[in-house]
Amino acid sequence: MRAMEEIATAEPLPPAPGAEQYPALDLANSAISLPGGHHVDLLGTPAAAEQWLVDRGLAPADTGLAEMCAGLLRSLREQVRALFAAHVAGLPAPEVALTAVNHALTRAPAASLLHWDSARGLYREAAHPVSQIVEHALAVLAADAADLLTGPDAERLTACGSTPCTRYLLRHGRRHWCSTRCGDRARAARAYARRTQAAPTGP
């Protein structure tokens, strides 16, 4: 029996604060841990990963994403999460994560190449159009992560304070929860802990 149930369905939570402003934050939060040992991966299949890109204007519909490209997107997500985790904890940025993000920043081709054939004459086209779409999306997301981590909002980046949630958000005031649901769960857990501590322990 699997420890966690993988569910690749509709997003179970609204976007965390800051995720609509920073696509990289949205990317980091595309793997969601829920109570009961459930896990939602919004990039879990090529079709789901393609829809995620389409919904955020990073790929056209009917791109035809393959598993290899979806895997690249999931890999970047893990490296961005590693950078966020280190930043929130006040730790040095992991070298592997830095290398991966910098690689994504520089891998997108600057232009389509020039080709010629007898039927079309001269024309420009990417050698692998789907790969070019994905590489462009990876570069955009990597640049966005770099902007967030080096910009004025970096000090507001924090992890959701409600177990078992693993999402990140931009803090507003004292709020440390990514959603109302997580806030309610954290308050309920604190109330339960207070009741447990106050209960008599018996003779």
Side-chain angles (χ1 to χ4, degrees), residues 16-41:
E20 294 180 343
Q21 179 183 357
Y22 290 99
L25 185 57
D26 208 17
L27 174 69
N29 291 340
S30 62
I32 306 168
S33 295
L34 298 171
H38 297 297
H39 182 74
V40 177
D41 189 348

Side-chain angles (χ1 to χ4, degrees), residues 72-83:
L72 291 173
L73 191 59
R74 291 193 296 268
S75 178
L76 179 64
R77 174 181 65 193
E78 295 313 305
Q79 302 307 328
V80 168
R81 285 185 60 82
L83 289 174

Side-chain angles (χ1 to χ4, degrees), residues 10-200:
E11 188 171 357
L13 291 170
E20 294 180 343
Q21 179 183 357
Y22 290 99
L25 185 57
D26 208 17
L27 174 69
N29 291 340
S30 62
I32 306 168
S33 295
L34 298 171
H38 297 297
H39 182 74
V40 177
D41 189 348
L42 302 179
L43 311 177
T45 66
E50 179 174 325
Q51 191 60 53
W52 191 91
L53 291 173
V54 170
D55 290 345
R56 287 149 186 83
L58 294 171
D62 302 319
T63 293
L65 210 66
E67 173 56 30
M68 182 182 72
C69 293
L72 291 173
L73 191 59
R74 291 193 296 268
S75 178
L76 179 64
R77 174 181 65 193
E78 295 313 305
Q79 302 307 328
V80 168
R81 285 185 60 82
L83 289 174
F84 285 0
H87 176 80
V88 169
L91 298 172
E95 190 63 36
V96 171
L98 285 174
T99 300
V101 169
N102 284 331
H103 180 65
L105 278 168
T106 57
R107 69 184 296 165
S112 297
L113 301 180
L114 186 64
H115 303 274
W116 182 90
D117 68 33
S118 58
R120 298 174 61 182
L122 285 168
Y123 66 97
R124 295 179 68 179
E125 184 177 79
H128 302 286
V130 173
S131 295
Q132 188 177 52
I133 289 169
V134 173
E135 288 173 348
H136 174 74
L138 293 173
V140 169
L141 292 165
D144 189 68
D147 288 343
L148 171 55
L149 288 166
T150 60
D153 287 327
E155 63 184 24
R156 297 170 53 209
L157 180 65
T158 190
C160 182
S162 178
T163 304
C165 185
T166 57
R167 298 208 301 173
Y168 291 93
L169 65 141
L170 294 186
R171 183 175 55 248
H172 292 277
R174 298 178 61 186
R175 176 176 173 174
H176 284 262
W177 305 303
C178 71
S179 66
T180 301
R181 187 188 307 178
C182 280
D184 291 344
R185 190 165 61 243
R187 283 188 287 269
R190 286 203 302 269
Y192 176 78
R194 285 195 298 269
R195 288 196 304 273
T196 301
Q197 291 171 356

